[in-house]
Amino acid sequence: MKMKTGTEKRKTALLFGSFNPLHEGHLAILKYVLENCRDCRAGIVVSPENPFKKGIGVNAASRLEAVRRTVKETGLDIDVLDVEFSLPQPLYTINTLRYLRDGNPDREYVLVVGADCLAQIPQWHEGLQLLREFEVWAYPRQGNDVEATAAQLNALEGIRGVTILRGELHNISSTEIRKLRNTRVTRVLRNFVVAGHRFSVVMDEASPLWERMQVNYGPFEADAPAGDADRPIFTLHVNHSPDWALADTAGMEPLFVGNNRPEETQTDFYRDGDGFYLDFAVNGKSPKVASLRISEDFKSGALGFSDLNFGRFAIDNAAMLMFAFSTAGLMTLEMHSSVTVNSGRAYMFLAESGTGKSTHSRMWLENIPGSELLNDDNPVVRVAEDGSVTVYGSPWSGKTPCYRNASAPLGAMVQIRRSPMNAATPLSIPEAYALVSSSSSGFRGIDSMADGLHETIAAIALAQPCFVLDCRPDAEAALVCHKAICR
C-alpha cells in the first residue's frame, strides 16, 4: 500500500550517515521510500564527522565522491547532499534539518533511521525537540524491537510521530540485509612503529594483503598504546574494490606530474580542495593502478585500487609517502640510501638509482668484518633533542628484502660516484647539506614541509661527517671508504 504524504508540501526523506561505505542496505531503504511514498524525494546527507563514531576513517571528500558515484551507478533518483560540509561544527542532525527546512519552505523533511538509531534519538542533541519538529520513519534492524521503541516515542506529548516502514521493506530486510550480515566486511586497524613513530593501516580483515604485508611490515607491528598519549602520525585506509577508478584531475592543481626516469615508479601529485590527490603507476610505460587521497594535515589517507596484484605496491608507496610527509616537521627524514652497520655505527651510502649504493654495501659485507645490512633503499634518519642522529630500518627496502626493526647511531654519509680511481674526500657543510637534501623524501613545494625538512637536513649536515667516494665497484673501494670514514 502506498504511503501518502498527507500534506501539500513535498516530503523529502533523508538518511544521514558517514557512509563508509554506502552499501546495498542503505540503497534498499531509500528505494523502498521512493516506491512506497507518493510524490516523495529521497536523499542522503553525507556527514564529514559523526559524534558517535570518532575517527570514522576515509576522508570526508573521498566518502562524498564515493557516495555520488555509487548512487549514479544505481540509476535511482536519490539526492546526495553535502550540506554538512559547510555548516558550523559541532554538527547535529536537528540543526541540519532546520537549515534545510528554513531554506526550502516548500518541502517537508523527514528523518529516516534504523531501529537501533531510533532508540538513541532521545539521547541526541535536542533529541526530543527533533521528534517534536520532524517526522521520523524507522526501518527494522536485526536485534532491535522497532515496534516497542516506536510505541514508546509515539506516546510522548507533542511529537510529530514515528512511522515504521513495512511491506516490501520487510522482504528486503529479511533477505538482502541478512545476506549483507552473513557476508559483512569487518575492517581492522593495525599499528606499526618505524623510527619511534607510530602509524596505522585500516583494511578489510579478510584481505589477503595482510599476509602479503607480513613480510615487510611484520617486524614493525606493535600494539596500540592505552589512551591518547601516542596518537598515530597518520592512518592509511586501504580500499580494494573492482569499482575503483582514477579521479578526473582536470580541475586539480598539479604539484608534481611526470618523472624523467621512466623505469621508476611514476607518481603524480595534485592539490585538490582542502587535501591532496596522488596516483601511481609501476613505471612510465604502465597505466595508473592506484590512487591516494590525503588530508591537508597528512594525518589521514584513503588508498584505492582494483587489482590485488598491485595491492602491496600501492600500500608500500602510499605508506612511504605519508610517512615522509607526516614526519617532515618531526626532525625525521626518510632517505634514499643503502645502510651498512659496522662496529655499532651506521654508514649511509647515497647516490642516484643504478649508481652502485647496493653494490658498495655488498662490498662492505664481503670485505669488512662485522658488517651487516640495515636497509638497502629507504632507511629513516631521526635527530634527537640532544642533536644525536640515529638511523633506523624500515618496511621499505627496494629490491633487497631487508626489513629490520633495528637502529644504530649515524657514523657518516657517503656519496657514491663512479670513477676509475678509489678515493674518499670530506665534504664541506654546504656540500653535505646538498647531499642530504637530494637524498631525502618530501615535497618542498609545501611551505610547512619545506621548513621541517630544512631544519632536519641542516642539523644532520652540521653534526655528522659527510664524504664523497669516487670509486670502482670492487673490494678496494670498500677498504678505502672504511679507512677514511671509520676513524
Side-chain angles (χ1 to χ4, degrees), residues 9 17 37 50 83 86 128 142 157 168 171 175 203-204 219 287 292 341 355 357 422 434 436 482:
K9 291 185 178 181
C37 178
N50 183 328
V83 58
S86 57
L128 293 177
Q142 183 73 19
E157 184 177 352
E168 295 176 16
N171 295 327
T175 55
M203 188 164 56
D204 295 351
L292 173 67
V341 176
T355 303
K357 301 183 302 298
N422 291 320
V436 180
H482 178 260

Side-chain angles (χ1 to χ4, degrees), residues 19-30:
F19 302 107
N20 188 18
L22 178 70
H23 57 66
E24 292 92 333
H26 300 131
L27 295 169
I29 294 158
L30 295 177

Side-chain angles (χ1 to χ4, degrees), residues 49-344:
E49 68 171 14
N50 183 328
F52 295 103
K53 297 181 180 178
K54 297 299 182 184
I56 53 178
V58 182
N59 96 17
S62 296
R63 287 188 286 105
L64 177 63
E65 179 183 346
V67 170
R68 284 173 171 161
R69 183 170 62 248
T70 301
V71 169
K72 183 177 180 180
E73 290 171 354
T74 66
L76 294 173
D77 189 16
I78 297 172
D79 299 322
V80 179
L81 286 71
D82 61 357
V83 58
E84 291 197 334
F85 284 60
S86 57
L87 291 179
Q89 296 195 19
L91 297 168
Y92 296 113
T93 302
I94 189 169
N95 291 344
T96 303
L97 288 169
R98 286 169 172 167
Y99 177 86
L100 291 169
R101 179 187 62 193
D102 294 343
N104 301 277
D106 59 331
R107 291 194 181 189
E108 181 179 354
Y109 289 93
V110 178
L111 177 63
V112 179
V113 297
D116 50 344
C117 287
L118 181 66
Q120 298 173 6
I121 288 180
Q123 302 168 21
W124 291 4
H125 174 75
E126 291 190 65
L128 293 177
Q129 185 61 32
L130 185 154
L131 292 169
R132 297 185 186 101
E133 293 184 30
F134 298 94
E135 188 177 353
V136 177
W137 294 348
Y139 55 90
R141 292 289 299 270
Q142 183 73 19
N144 292 272
D145 189 346
V146 66
E147 300 278 355
T149 302
Q152 291 173 0
L153 295 178
N154 281 326
L156 298 174
E157 184 177 352
I159 74 163
R160 291 290 306 276
V162 176
T163 300
I164 300 174
L165 303 181
R166 303 178 183 277
E168 295 176 16
L169 184 64
H170 177 77
N171 295 327
I172 292 171
S173 297
S174 62
T175 55
E176 292 298 323
I177 295 181
R178 183 172 64 246
K179 177 182 176 182
L180 286 170
R181 185 175 70 252
N182 291 338
T183 60
R184 69 182 183 273
V185 175
T186 301
R187 303 279 285 178
V188 296
L189 179 150
R190 295 186 182 179
N191 293 279
F192 306 91
V193 176
V194 177
H197 299 297
R198 181 169 66 91
F199 64 90
S200 304
V201 176
V202 179
M203 188 164 56
D204 295 351
E205 183 177 34
S207 174
L209 292 173
W210 285 124
E211 183 176 355
R212 299 179 195 178
M213 289 172 59
Q214 190 63 28
V215 174
N216 55 327
Y217 290 88
F220 300 89
E221 189 165 2
D223 293 332
D228 296 330
D230 181 24
R231 292 180 178 273
I233 55 172
F234 71 85
T235 300
L236 176 64
H237 302 265
V238 180
N239 303 287
H240 163 242
S241 170
D243 298 325
W244 168 83
L246 289 168
D248 182 0
T249 59
M252 301 182 192
E253 176 190 354
L255 299 178
F256 180 85
V257 177
N259 188 330
N260 293 328
R261 302 178 70 92
E263 71 279 6
E264 296 182 351
T265 297
Q266 305 291 298
T267 302
D268 292 343
F269 186 20
Y270 302 85
R271 179 180 286 279
D272 184 24
D274 59 354
F276 303 93
Y277 174 83
L278 303 89
D279 49 36
F280 307 101
V282 175
N283 56 55
K285 297 181 180 179
S286 63
K288 299 292 177 58
V289 296
S291 62
L292 173 67
R293 288 193 177 275
I294 307 178
S295 61
E296 190 166 19
D297 60 3
F298 309 114
K299 293 185 181 299
S300 179
L303 175 67
F305 52 89
S306 60
D307 190 340
L308 274 175
N309 292 317
F310 296 108
R312 185 172 160 192
F313 163 83
I315 292 170
D316 284 349
N317 280 276
M320 278 194 294
L321 285 171
M322 291 197 69
F323 188 91
F325 293 170
S326 60
T327 60
L330 301 175
M331 297 302 287
T332 302
L333 291 181
E334 182 186 303
M335 299 195 67
H336 182 47
S337 169
S338 181
V339 186
T340 297
V341 176
N342 185 273
S343 300

